């Protein structure tokens, strides 16, 4: 029988293996240079969904990703809205607006 702590440790280990630190660093660097998360992920052979899934599991990376997406976001967009998300913003506030809507 599996124990919850074992499951959590396995999730973390799987995320670390699939999305190792060098790949995470390259993704953050691409974002800081102005690449969109969808494009940066694809260039690294990942999907945006996989990136955000790993960010939920790997807390420090998730914080770094959110900080980078917030710093790089377009100030002209209405953040924290579905409109911002529909215009391709993936900052934490715009993702949250879509999650609240679902």
């Amino acid at each position: 029988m599996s124990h919850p702590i074992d499951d959590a440790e396995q999730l973390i280990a799987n995320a670390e293996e699939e999305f190792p630190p060098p790949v995470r660093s390259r993704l953050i660097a691409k974002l800081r240079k102005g690449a969109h998360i969808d494009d940066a992920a694809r260039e690294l052979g990942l999907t945006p969904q996989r990136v955000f899934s790993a960010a939920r599991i790997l807390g420090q990376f998730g914080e770094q990703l959110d900080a980078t997406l917030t710093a790089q976001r377009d100030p002209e967009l209405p953040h924290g809205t579905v409109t911002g998300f529909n215009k391709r913003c993936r900052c934490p506030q715009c993702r949250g607006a879509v999650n609240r809507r679902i």
Side-chain angles (χ1 to χ4, degrees):
M1 180 170 162
S2 181
H3 299 287
I5 191 74
D6 294 336
D7 293 344
E9 289 172 357
Q10 188 61 51
L11 276 174
I12 293 168
N14 291 345
E16 287 278 354
E17 182 179 331
E18 184 177 350
F19 202 28
V23 176
R24 296 192 300 254
S25 294
R26 287 198 308 268
L27 176 75
I28 295 297
K30 288 178 181 293
L31 296 175
R32 288 182 178 157
K33 290 181 180 176
H36 188 272
I37 183 79
D38 294 352
D39 302 328
R42 190 173 21 261
E43 288 173 16
L44 294 170
L46 301 165
T47 65
Q49 294 82 2
R50 186 64 199 119
V51 170
F52 287 117
S53 176
R56 284 190 298 276
I57 296 167
L58 305 171
Q60 186 176 3
F61 168 66
E63 291 171 13
Q64 184 181 29
L65 179 63
D66 282 347
T68 302
L69 291 171
T70 298
Q72 296 299 117
R73 68 186 183 180
D74 182 349
E76 301 295 317
L77 292 178
H79 297 285
T81 67
V82 174
T83 299
F85 187 88
N86 287 341
K87 293 194 180 253
R88 296 189 75 202
C89 183
R90 297 300 181 259
C91 76
Q93 291 79 21
C94 289
R95 291 192 327 265
V98 169
N99 289 337
R100 284 190 301 275
R101 186 170 177 227
I102 294 175

